[in-house]
Amino acid sequence: MAEFEMTVAGRRSVADGVVELVLRARPGEALPGWTAGAHIDLRLDPATVRQYSLCGPADDPSTYRIAVLREETGRGGSRRVHDEVHPGQTVVVGGPRNNFEFEKAPAYLFIAGGIGITPLLPMIEQAGREGADWKLAYGGRSRSTMAYLDELRSRESAPGRVQAVPFDECGLLDLPALIAELPPEALIYCCGPEPLLAAVELATAGLAPGTLHVERFSAREIDAGEDLPFTVELAASGRTLEVPAERSLLDVLLEHGVDVLTSCEEGTCGTCETPVLAGEPDHRDSILTADEQAANDRMLVCVSRCRSARLVLDL
């Protein structure tokens, strides 16, 4: 994936602990296009890359907009963005990439938890532009922590489309009630912390496959099987490598100089998605749907392994 330099053209606070950055292309350059649900990589130094959802207008060819929640107990990337990235600076960006594609439907239910509102903003804009029926249920710790709440209110074409549910005033989102009101043929798009996603998945278990679409900011808990050794064959070169039980597939590939793009290394960003030509992957990612995993034609090599003795990758 190509990387390019951008200038920080603007910065503002959009909620308690949330800063918005407007990144502008260099003079005379047009940015790669993107669709609702996409994210970019922000390279903070040669070894530190973080993914942030694009939350501005998708039809602006000169700027990207992201919003970053400061996470004091995180790995440090968000703290660096808050403390070190300011207007006038040059930053390195990769992408965009979309693992959260927005599908056309007559109606939508958007469910956001905290900073999970960011990938939903362009979807809401597109749904309104296309005349679809939509509703947003937006939960947060308090109103002051809920980014873009006023902006969302201004987008309401009918009263009641935006349901704000700050926990300190209202408690948790009433998911059963939201699902019960779901219009026929509606799709659900949800992004937020893992407890919310798990609750939404449970509440929608009886709906038709493909109704629910989620994006995770952190890896979900996976009941992984035993880590077994396996052989990986690289189809492009014919090389064969051994992956022992105690090492990841990605570690072995990188150790042997195989050119694999990687970023999160926890199966959430999609950077290392690799075509599978033969073998049965042991999928442990948080991106691929059940149908996509069952197809066994691709895998996230940072976390996934192999159930069969031999795996052939298109590398």
Side-chain angles (χ1 to χ4, degrees), residues 33-151:
W34 58 281
T35 55
H39 68 264
I40 58 171
D41 290 346
L42 184 63
R43 184 170 293 280
L44 301 173
D45 60 47
T48 307
V49 180
R50 296 292 184 268
Q51 290 75 41
Y52 298 109
S53 297
L54 290 168
C55 57
D59 58 356
D60 183 351
S62 63
T63 63
Y64 290 155
R65 185 175 81 175
I66 60 174
V68 181
L69 169 67
R70 186 183 185 104
E71 297 183 84
E72 296 295 350
T73 59
R75 294 181 293 164
S78 67
R79 295 195 300 275
R80 289 185 57 182
V81 171
H82 276 248
D83 296 341
E84 302 174 13
V85 181
H86 299 283
Q89 288 182 247
T90 298
V91 293
V92 177
V93 169
R97 184 187 306 108
N98 200 335
N99 302 315
F100 196 33
E101 293 280 359
F102 187 52
E103 299 179 8
K104 192 173 182 63
Y108 300 94
L109 171 60
F110 300 104
I111 304 176
I115 197 63
I117 190 62
T118 51
L120 303 183
L121 291 175
M123 296 184 182
I124 292 169
E125 181 178 350
Q126 184 173 337
R129 190 167 56 246
E130 295 178 351
D133 185 21
W134 63 270
K135 181 176 182 178
L136 167 68
Y138 183 9
R141 296 193 309 276
S142 64
R143 291 183 186 274
S144 65
T145 67
M146 297 169 70
Y148 301 112
L149 190 54
D150 291 340
E151 178 180 322

